[in-house]
Amino acid sequence: MSRFSKMAGYLGKAWMSVRAFGHDERGGMAPFMVLGIAGVMVAGAYAFDATRMTTGAAQLKRATDAAAMAVAVDGMGDPDMSAPRLNALAEEYVRANLGMDSVVSSQLGDIRVEVGRKEPGRTYKVLAELQPVSVLLGAGSGPVEVHSTAYAENPKTEVAIILPSEGDFTISAAERTALAEIASDFVDDLFGGSSADTRANLRVAVVPHGDGVNVTPQGQNRISRLRQWVPPNIVSRPVDFLDRTFPWNSSTPRVTNHAAPLMPDTRTDRLCLTDRRQTESRYWWRGPAAQAFTVNYRLDQTNEWQYQYRIHVYSNNNSDFFQYIVDDLACPRARFLPLDESRSKIKESIWANAEHPSFNQRYSPGLIWAGRALSPDMRGAAGWGDPVYPLDFETDNSDNRKYIVMFAKLIGDWFLDPYGNSGSGQNTRSAFEGLCREYVDVGIKTYFLGLSTVEPDHHMMSAFGQVVAPGMKICTDGDKRYSYVMGSVFNAGSVRTDFRNRLKAIAEEIQKSSSGVRLIE
């Protein structure tokens, strides 16, 4: 064999060995598998972090949604709330709604609120910055901003505040001052933290009551309303059964009708009226006011010092028998204030009740006239004089909210006499129950807050509990809005504190339930 043949044989064998090695896969995939697994792990880490960041952003969006709604409610309750306070509230709400997710919570950056105008309400935009960091790779990315916007509008809200107008016989001057302060603080709470004299869409009426409610128009005398709301035959008829009247210590001029300038209630600007349809078992509060009432006045057989004006009147049948027409002290000097937007006027009316008390206290007049304060039947010149208020009752097409807040001192059994009639306690109970059912039917929500010396276990055994409370609890949805403070005087420190705390809670409840909020972004 030649040398070249041998060389070719060797090269062929070498080539075959190289080809065999190239086709041998034993152990050759290990490095590639390591590299592949590492790649899969890296890709999985990125996928996990991407999913985590997406989930975190979605969870943060849910939290800012809830925060925007809550901040809008708070902001509308206090339109002058500062930006730092709004921002702090937003952060508190966002973190609370993230719950147990400590990872997203730890990645939160700046949280702030932007307030905008969108008539007739406001927008509240909560912006939260998320600064995601890779949990597995330790790498960071740029911040992500998440935001939510809520629109808030205060629905039109009407509140009638009922105040007892009692003199020293049952409520002392110090108590009346304390009650006025308590009620004034409640008005401030209704207006929120703002110092403005008005709050959008809020109107408040003040209803001072004794045996009646003085509806003499603010800033006017009583005669125009007397002639408008009382039929002419009642206004012009001789007073009661008497044929001859003359002023004290004078024989002229004669006083022959209820509109006479010398009538004591005219001279003291009192006008207490009773619906002509009223019975001992039904209280009326709906319907137009024109010609709907009879006028109250007071006859007395005594010549007592507490009367400011007295008119001698002689009997038709016995000229030696006489009585006096006197100013009706059971009709408050403090005037009813129809729904008003001015905080200062509302407080002025509250303090007038403290300064000019009446005597006797029946609960029905205050509750009835509070209903008329909120009744759309009293809108316009023939009613309270306002062409817009009272608004219609809440319907599917309107969002008008109406509330009654009634203060009371649970004393005596005066309420056992139905308003304007003399009847039984059972009839009075029926009348209260019927009145409250009607209020519930039209959506009026009532809060009752009384002062009582009767222990809770015995409260329903008292005269008030037997006659008035069953109907009142229809108004207040059982015990939901019905409460009373234990005590004997309004000016006791613990009583004032308890009243203020409860009224603050009532004001917050009214504000929150009267705030229309919806998420728009």
Side-chain angles (χ1 to χ4, degrees):
M1 181 178 292
S2 69
R3 187 190 314 175
F4 291 104
S5 297
K6 289 181 179 180
M7 182 65 68
Y10 292 145
L11 288 174
K13 289 179 180 179
W15 173 245
M16 293 298 292
S17 296
V18 169
R19 290 188 65 185
F21 179 78
H23 289 284
D24 190 351
E25 297 181 354
R26 290 176 295 176
M29 290 302 295
F32 294 102
M33 289 181 68
V34 170
L35 292 174
I37 291 171
V40 169
M41 290 178 66
V42 171
Y46 276 113
F48 176 83
D49 279 332
T51 302
R52 183 79 181 100
M53 286 186 282
T54 302
T55 303
Q59 189 170 355
L60 181 57
K61 180 66 168 85
R62 289 192 292 270
T64 57
D65 286 349
M69 296 282 284
V71 167
V73 172
D74 291 336
M76 291 304 285
D78 184 0
D80 292 336
M81 187 179 293
S82 67
R85 177 59 180 154
L86 283 171
N87 293 341
L89 283 173
E91 181 170 356
E92 180 182 331
Y93 289 133
V94 167
R95 292 188 181 278
N97 282 279
L98 285 175
M100 301 297 291
D101 195 331
S102 59
V103 175
V104 176
S105 184
S106 67
Q107 294 175 354
L108 283 177
D110 182 47
I111 298 175
R112 68 188 189 278
V113 178
E114 294 179 356
V115 181
R117 282 284 184 185
K118 186 177 180 182
E119 296 299 337
R122 291 182 174 187
T123 58
Y124 292 82
K125 186 175 186 178
V126 174
L127 303 99
E129 190 177 84
L130 183 66
Q131 297 175 331
V133 175
S134 173
V135 176
L136 296 178
L137 303 177
S141 62
V144 176
E145 189 173 73
V146 177
H147 68 268
S148 301
T149 306
Y151 172 75
E153 176 187 351
N154 283 328
K156 295 177 174 62
T157 303
E158 302 171 356
V159 182
I161 300 174
I162 304 174
L163 295 172
S165 180
E166 286 284 296
D168 293 343
F169 179 67
T170 52
I171 302 180
S172 68
E175 282 189 84
R176 295 195 299 273
T177 298
L179 181 59
E181 291 173 347
I182 292 168
S184 294
D185 287 345
F186 174 61
V187 170
D188 287 335
D189 291 337
L190 286 175
F191 276 76
S194 172
S195 59
D197 194 51
T198 62
R199 178 187 143 189
N201 295 335
L202 175 65
R203 299 293 187 279
V204 179
V206 181
V207 189
H209 75 95
D211 266 8
V213 172
N214 183 5
V215 294
T216 300
Q218 297 283 326
Q220 303 177 36
N221 65 37
R222 76 177 197 147
I223 293 178
S224 60
R225 178 158 291 172
L226 173 70
R227 293 191 180 281
Q228 184 183 26
W229 288 7
V230 178
N233 63 312
I234 296 178
V235 173
S236 61
R237 73 184 180 192
V239 177
D240 202 48
F241 57 90
L242 309 168
D243 67 337
R244 202 160 46 119
T245 65
F246 55 89
W248 181 247
N249 290 333
S250 174
S251 58
T252 58
R254 297 177 65 195
V255 176
T256 59
N257 65 74
H258 290 288
L262 289 179
M263 278 290 290
D265 286 346
T266 300
R267 300 176 75 177
T268 57
D269 288 324
R270 286 182 169 97
L271 182 62
C272 281
L273 304 175
T274 301
D275 194 299
R276 296 166 61 203
R277 300 167 294 177
Q278 204 100 299
T279 67
E280 63 184 31
S281 58
R282 181 166 183 187
Y283 298 147
W284 290 83
W285 64 285
R286 295 293 304 272
Q291 314 294 300
F293 299 92
T294 185
V295 60
N296 304 346
Y297 69 101
R298 189 176 189 86
L299 281 170
D300 206 332
Q301 294 182 8
T302 182
N303 179 17
E304 293 187 8
W305 59 269
Q306 72 261 34
Y307 298 117
Q308 187 174 355
Y309 299 104
R310 293 154 293 185
I311 295 178
H312 233 159
V313 291
Y314 283 86
S315 165
N316 205 13
N317 299 322
N318 183 356
S319 60
D320 295 327
F321 174 77
F322 60 88
Q323 291 182 310
Y324 301 93
I325 297 177
V326 296
D327 36 318
D328 186 2
L329 300 185
C331 180
R333 287 288 298 274
R335 304 184 190 194
F336 171 96
L337 177 71
L339 292 169
D340 203 288
E341 66 176 348
S342 168
R343 185 200 312 232
S344 56
K345 284 186 67 175
I346 295 162
K347 287 188 173 184
E348 182 181 331
S349 183
I350 289 171
W351 280 99
N353 183 58
E355 296 164 4
H356 302 290
S358 62
F359 69 84
N360 292 358
Q361 179 180 328
R362 289 183 172 86
Y363 303 98
S364 50
L367 197 59
I368 292 167
W369 282 100
R372 282 202 173 269
L374 304 176
S375 171
D377 298 333
M378 300 295 288
R379 185 168 56 223
W384 300 124
D386 191 314
V388 177
Y389 289 89
L391 299 169
D392 292 338
F393 294 114
E394 186 176 2
T395 65
D396 293 338
N397 298 319
S398 71
D399 200 23
N400 305 326
R401 312 293 174 84
K402 296 175 184 276
Y403 302 90
I404 293 173
V405 180
M406 184 171 187
F407 296 78
K409 187 171 183 179
L410 310 185
I411 52 172
D413 288 341
W414 293 107
F415 56 84
L416 293 180
D417 264 342
Y419 180 36
N421 297 276
S422 58
S424 69
Q426 182 58 44
N427 287 335
T428 304
R429 173 172 171 163
S430 298
F432 270 98
E433 290 175 348
L435 181 65
C436 280
R437 286 193 190 96
E438 292 179 21
Y439 285 175
V440 171
D441 287 345
V442 296
I444 296 176
K445 292 184 178 178
T446 302
Y447 293 86
F448 177 85
L449 186 53
L451 176 66
S452 176
T453 57
V454 181
E455 292 292 336
D457 290 345
H458 301 288
H459 175 65
M460 294 306 294
M461 299 300 294
S462 68
F464 179 92
Q466 292 289 310
V467 177
V468 179
M472 191 65 70
K473 288 194 174 187
I474 294 173
C475 275
T476 60
D477 193 11
D479 290 329
K480 185 176 180 181
R481 297 187 298 273
Y482 178 97
S483 64
Y484 61 97
V485 173
M486 291 299 300
S488 58
V489 291
F490 284 109
N491 55 317
S494 60
V495 169
R496 291 165 69 116
T497 300
D498 207 348
F499 262 91
R500 280 176 169 155
N501 290 341
R502 297 189 192 199
L503 288 165
K504 185 175 289 291
I506 291 171
E508 289 176 357
E509 188 172 322
I510 290 174
Q511 285 178 342
K512 288 183 178 180
S513 63
S514 298
S515 294
V517 178
R518 66 180 183 273
L519 201 64
I520 60 174
E521 186 181 16

